[in-house]
Amino acid sequence: MSQTAASEQEPAFIEVGEGSEARRIAVRARAGSNPGLFWLGGFKSDMAGTKALALDAWAAEHGRGCVRFDYSGHGESGGDFADGTIGRWLEESVAVFSQFCSGLQVVIGSSMGGWMALLLAREIARRGNGKAQLAGLVLIAPAPDFTEELMWKAFSPEVRAEIEAKGMWLRPSDYGDGTPYPITRNLIEEGRKHLLLGSKIDVGCPVRILQGAQDPDVPWKHAFALVHRLPAEDVVLTMIQDGDHRLSRPQDIARIIAAVAEIG
């Protein structure tokens, strides 16, 4: 199946949260054999991106299950992006995984989705035996703790002061249509509840990490910091010397798919 055909799937919608916190989440779930694929996109990305569509098309060609969705405030899902937090998007990730996945799953997380994948793995371990389990994680330019390590600590005093005074700063963007997007005080402060890099991260499954050495958004040293927190067994970091943050070139997609296929 082509990527175009894959993108034409009609989404299902589920409600996550209650009362004023309820939001409508768009999900595209492809039935197929296990291990299934579960896609977690990045900050300000959606499930119609190059990598997500390539993985969905690969799953279709191989008869594999594939689930992808948009966080609230992203893509086809409801909600306001400015209301988003790591905890809010994690709640949605867990809800979609629990409702649409069964059996072994390869979770693929890109950028912020890499943080989500690690948090999801921890949540699955806490909940015990559910209908879906992890076969492994494939993390693409993973950005755990980015709200603190790559945003707050890197912001100038002027930007920090604006966030603290106004509750928001509009960050210029080199992606999409270039429209600045809000970085809220709530995003930064709530993100501190989900920091991972200060202690051991036990995910209980194989991990494959792909990192571009030329990534301006998630420095390669961030990937090394993550590797040092993961168990020594069955963790592989692939450094792509000429790779950027997107890792969406044909050769990058091939590496991502190879990592998924290696896990199962």
Side-chain angles (χ1 to χ4, degrees), residues 40-41 108-119 137 139-144:
L40 290 164
I108 306 109
S110 177
S111 193
M112 180 181 80
W115 189 2
M116 286 292 156
L118 295 165
L119 292 170
L137 304 181
L139 310 179
I140 306 160

Side-chain angles (χ1 to χ4, degrees), residues 216-232:
D217 299 305
V218 181
W220 60 264
K221 291 182 180 179
H222 200 72
F224 274 83
L226 171 58
V227 168
H228 287 311
R229 292 301 186 186
L230 291 167

Side-chain angles (χ1 to χ4, degrees), residues 197-222:
L197 295 178
S199 59
K200 179 182 176 182
I201 306 170
D202 190 0
V203 295
C205 64
V207 180
R208 301 292 180 265
I209 301 172
L210 295 95
Q211 175 68 45
Q214 309 305 318
D215 187 336
D217 299 305
V218 181
W220 60 264
K221 291 182 180 179
H222 200 72

Side-chain angles (χ1 to χ4, degrees), residues 24-115:
R24 194 167 181 248
I25 303 302
V27 184
R28 283 185 167 85
R30 180 182 301 287
S33 63
N34 289 336
L37 278 57
F38 185 72
W39 171 257
L40 290 164
F43 190 69
K44 286 291 287 181
S45 297
D46 59 47
M47 61 174 159
T50 303
K51 295 185 289 293
L53 291 181
L55 286 162
D56 185 79
W58 181 84
E61 289 166 5
H62 292 80
R64 299 274 287 272
C66 183
V67 176
R68 53 200 170 97
F69 73 101
D70 287 330
Y71 309 113
S72 58
H74 293 68
E76 297 171 274
S77 289
D80 189 335
F81 177 79
D83 292 332
T85 63
I86 300 304
R88 185 179 176 93
W89 294 326
L90 175 60
E91 180 186 18
E92 296 157 8
S93 303
V94 171
V96 175
F97 186 85
S98 300
Q99 185 164 333
F100 288 90
C101 296
S102 61
L104 288 173
Q105 302 291 319
V106 180
V107 176
I108 306 109
S110 177
S111 193
M112 180 181 80
W115 189 2

Side-chain angles (χ1 to χ4, degrees), residues 139-223:
L139 310 179
I140 306 160
D145 301 9
F146 78 88
T147 53
E148 192 71 15
E149 298 298 324
L150 304 180
M151 284 186 172
W152 188 250
K153 289 184 179 180
F155 287 161
S156 68
E158 292 77 15
V159 168
R160 288 193 196 185
E162 183 171 340
I163 291 172
E164 289 174 338
K166 299 181 180 178
M168 180 186 298
W169 169 61
L170 291 177
R171 181 176 188 168
S173 175
D174 294 327
Y175 300 99
D177 62 4
T179 302
Y181 54 87
I183 303 300
T184 67
R185 185 173 60 224
N186 194 30
L187 174 72
I188 300 295
E189 292 178 349
E190 199 277 341
R192 291 172 180 145
K193 299 177 182 178
H194 307 283
L195 301 180
L196 293 174
L197 295 178
S199 59
K200 179 182 176 182
I201 306 170
D202 190 0
V203 295
C205 64
V207 180
R208 301 292 180 265
I209 301 172
L210 295 95
Q211 175 68 45
Q214 309 305 318
D215 187 336
D217 299 305
V218 181
W220 60 264
K221 291 182 180 179
H222 200 72

